Amino acid sequence: QLLVYENYTKFTRAVDVIKQMKFCIESLDPDIDLLEGSIGRVAKHEQHAEDGVSNRASQIDVLLKRQRLCRKLQVLFALPSTLSRCLERGEYGRAVEAYCCCADFLRQYKHVPAFNKVLEDVEHQMNQIGSALEHRLRAPYLSVDEAVNSSLTLLDMGKDHTKVVREYLAGRTAVLRQSLNHCFCGEPLNHPGFSRYDVSATGAELSKEEQEMRLPASQELHSACWRATDTYVPQLCDAVEGCQRLQGANADDSVAEAMLQAFVSERVEELCRRIGALAEERRPPTRGLVVCIHS
């Protein structure tokens, strides 16, 4: 009986709780109906906003594509003036880069009159840039690095490799001849690394070798040989290394290799001729010749 009583008590309590829950839920019905209406209106406004944004988004996407296309066209039509500025400023590498970016497109659509006109102007500017680079290569003031960069730019423009190497070596020849003239200028050499005999000392204080080396002929020959060792020979080595960098772009060019060998032989022979001519003209003593050779 106790077990039945306890279970009955629990059952009645559960019935009371269910009745209370039913009452609470039924009292929430108006609020739930109101919430459903609000959610419906929110969904309706959301759909309206989404429709408006999606329509505008497609329009914005189309406008952005048109803007990018207009910018590309602006770059294309401004290419001749860009190349002209690069030519005036000597920015040849930048000019070739801009040309390579646009040339293929212009050639592809050259049947369009506007693009064909731009292509003609661009080709004219590039011919001028190529001529300026070739003229620059022959300049006697150009450094090896600048000459190599100018040559590589010409190769990027599609110029013949053998012709570019020939122009490079012609420019290096002008530089080396200028350097060689400076070596044999005959001026006294005052350089920390140049060991000169003291020409102010008296004859009694000098050995026979020193007396011969203090002669003007010996001093002039010694200075010329020292200058050649200090400036001319390093410049010749730099020129050869620069030409080898150019040959790396076309290692099978046997003609360029032959031109480089001839270039080196001619420059060394020219140096030897100048030394021999100076020695024959000034006729320094034998000891002076030996010292110059060892120097």
Side-chain angles (χ1 to χ4, degrees):
Q1 292 179 353
L2 180 60
L3 181 61
V4 173
Y5 175 75
E6 290 178 354
N7 290 333
Y8 177 76
T9 302
K10 293 179 181 179
F11 177 73
T12 55
R13 288 179 179 175
V15 171
D16 293 338
V17 171
I18 292 173
K19 288 181 179 180
Q20 292 177 359
M21 290 177 61
K22 182 179 179 182
F23 175 76
C24 293
I25 290 174
E26 289 177 351
S27 62
L28 290 175
D29 285 344
D31 294 334
I32 292 175
D33 293 339
L34 181 62
L35 181 60
E36 288 179 352
S38 299
I39 292 175
R41 288 192 297 273
V42 169
K44 182 178 179 181
H45 290 305
E46 180 185 4
Q47 185 63 39
H48 179 72
E50 185 176 352
D51 293 340
V53 171
S54 61
N55 187 30
R56 294 290 180 86
S58 61
Q59 294 178 358
I60 292 173
D61 186 57
V62 171
L63 292 175
L64 288 175
K65 289 181 179 179
R66 291 178 180 175
Q67 185 185 39
R68 288 192 292 267
L69 181 60
C70 289
R71 287 178 178 174
K72 292 179 180 179
L73 291 175
Q74 184 179 10
V75 171
L76 285 173
F77 287 113
L79 183 59
S81 59
T82 300
L83 296 179
S84 179
R85 287 195 302 270
C86 291
L87 179 61
E88 293 174 357
R89 300 172 183 174
E91 298 175 346
Y92 304 114
R94 181 187 172 193
V96 173
E97 183 180 356
Y99 171 77
C100 293
C101 291
C102 304
D104 292 339
F105 179 87
L106 291 173
R107 292 193 184 99
Q108 182 179 358
Y109 293 96
K110 64 181 180 180
H111 58 277
V112 179
F115 290 153
N116 186 52
K117 179 65 170 59
V118 173
L119 181 61
E120 291 177 354
D121 293 342
V122 166
E123 294 293 350
H124 176 70
Q125 293 289 344
M126 292 306 297
N127 288 334
Q128 289 186 327
I129 290 174
S131 299
L133 282 172
E134 291 173 357
H135 178 74
R136 188 170 185 255
L137 272 180
R138 294 189 290 268
Y141 57 81
L142 203 64
S143 68
V144 172
D145 290 336
E146 290 174 328
V148 171
N149 291 335
S150 297
S151 301
L152 292 175
T153 302
L154 286 171
L155 293 176
D156 291 339
M157 293 173 61
K159 299 294 184 180
D160 180 67
H161 182 267
T162 302
K163 182 180 179 182
V164 171
V165 172
R166 184 181 294 109
E167 295 293 337
Y168 169 83
L169 293 178
R172 294 302 91 199
T173 298
V175 171
L176 288 169
R177 283 177 177 169
Q178 189 178 65
S179 176
L180 194 61
N181 291 334
H182 175 70
C183 293
F184 292 87
C185 63
E187 297 178 359
L189 180 61
N190 297 317
H191 192 280
F194 178 56
S195 173
R196 297 187 63 195
Y197 290 89
D198 186 8
V199 298
S200 64
T202 62
E205 298 173 348
L206 298 175
S207 64
K208 184 177 180 179
E209 177 181 344
E210 291 172 337
Q211 290 177 11
E212 292 180 349
M213 285 303 303
R214 69 188 289 244
L215 295 175
S218 299
Q219 289 289 319
E220 186 175 347
L221 182 62
H222 193 197
S223 298
C225 292
W226 196 93
R227 284 192 179 99
T229 304
D230 186 61
T231 59
Y232 183 83
V233 174
Q235 287 178 345
L236 177 58
C237 295
D238 291 341
V240 172
E241 291 178 0
C243 188
Q244 290 173 343
R245 288 167 58 187
L246 297 181
Q247 288 179 314
N250 191 357
D252 298 331
D253 194 345
S254 58
V255 178
E257 181 66 27
M259 286 192 300
L260 177 59
Q261 293 177 0
F263 166 79
V264 175
S265 299
E266 290 171 0
R267 302 286 73 74
V268 174
E269 290 174 1
E270 189 173 8
L271 173 61
C272 294
R273 283 197 302 269
R274 294 293 294 270
I275 293 175
L278 180 62
E280 185 176 358
E281 177 187 355
R282 301 292 290 168
R283 297 186 180 277
T286 305
R287 293 179 184 273
L289 289 174
V290 173
V291 171
C292 291
I293 292 174
H294 287 296
S295 66

